[in-house]
Amino acid sequence: MAFIRYANENDLADITYLMDELGYKTTQLEMKERLKKLSSYSDYHTFVAEIDHQVVGLLGLHIGLAYEFSGCYGRILCMVVNRKFRRMGIDQQLVAEAEKQIIKNEGNAIVLNSGNRVERADAHKFYLDLGYSLKSSGFVKKLV
């Protein structure tokens, strides 16, 4: 079982590694700047899963207001568990912490996007097994 907590500056190397495992190559300097910006907003939450003083999982959460219903909701922006520590329930712990944070903020829904690539099939099964529904399509347009 992992210890779930908020990320801090000492986690930078592990978080950078995890983002790479998720498929988003980045440098520690870039990640440091991203985390600095994210942490300056109270509606963004960066959770890590720690085992034996090593960060082995990451979940980024945004809590916002909804247009389509009353109250707020949470959006999982990223989630990854180190390959060596998968299938140990760490992912479930991270999602449970996100859900707890949303409820604490009087939220009533949680959403996420997950790519349609073949390598995301296990992630899709994971979310379906947790009671999530496949509901919509996402669209992306790069502006720069």
Side-chain angles (χ1 to χ4, degrees):
M1 184 162 235
F3 174 63
I4 308 299
R5 61 172 174 77
Y6 276 98
N8 64 53
E9 62 276 357
N10 298 324
D11 303 325
L12 184 59
D14 289 328
I15 289 173
T16 304
Y17 174 82
L18 288 168
M19 289 303 292
D20 183 50
E21 273 205 8
L22 191 56
Y24 301 101
K25 204 94 169 124
T26 189
T27 66
Q28 282 192 32
L29 183 58
E30 290 170 326
M31 199 69 236
K32 180 178 182 177
E33 288 303 311
R34 287 181 207 156
L35 290 171
K36 182 179 174 184
K37 280 184 183 177
L38 288 164
S39 67
S40 70
Y41 293 92
S42 63
D43 48 350
Y44 285 86
H45 305 268
T46 306
F47 297 107
V48 294
E50 182 182 298
I51 295 179
D52 295 329
H53 307 291
Q54 179 186 358
V55 171
V56 298
L58 169 71
L59 185 141
L61 174 70
H62 176 254
I63 298 177
L65 298 173
Y67 286 93
E68 63 274 24
F69 57 85
S70 299
C72 69
Y73 71 99
R75 175 178 293 278
I76 295 175
L77 300 173
C78 71
M79 188 176 80
V80 60
V81 174
N82 183 312
R83 282 183 180 89
K84 298 174 190 169
F85 293 88
R86 291 184 184 163
R87 307 214 186 277
M88 296 173 59
I90 296 167
D91 47 5
Q92 292 172 349
Q93 285 182 262
L94 285 164
V95 170
E97 186 62 36
E99 292 175 354
K100 189 166 66 175
Q101 189 68 36
I102 295 162
I103 291 167
K104 179 180 165 186
N105 283 277
E106 300 179 2
N108 52 25
I110 186 168
V111 298
L112 62 97
N113 288 36
S114 183
N116 292 328
R117 300 185 309 274
V118 172
E119 61 268 22
R120 295 285 197 242
D122 286 344
H124 295 177
K125 181 178 178 344
F126 167 75
Y127 291 118
L128 290 169
D129 289 348
L130 283 182
Y132 287 70
S133 303
L134 182 59
K135 187 168 169 117
S136 64
S137 297
F139 298 89
V140 175
K141 177 181 180 183
K142 294 272 187 181
L143 298 177
V144 181

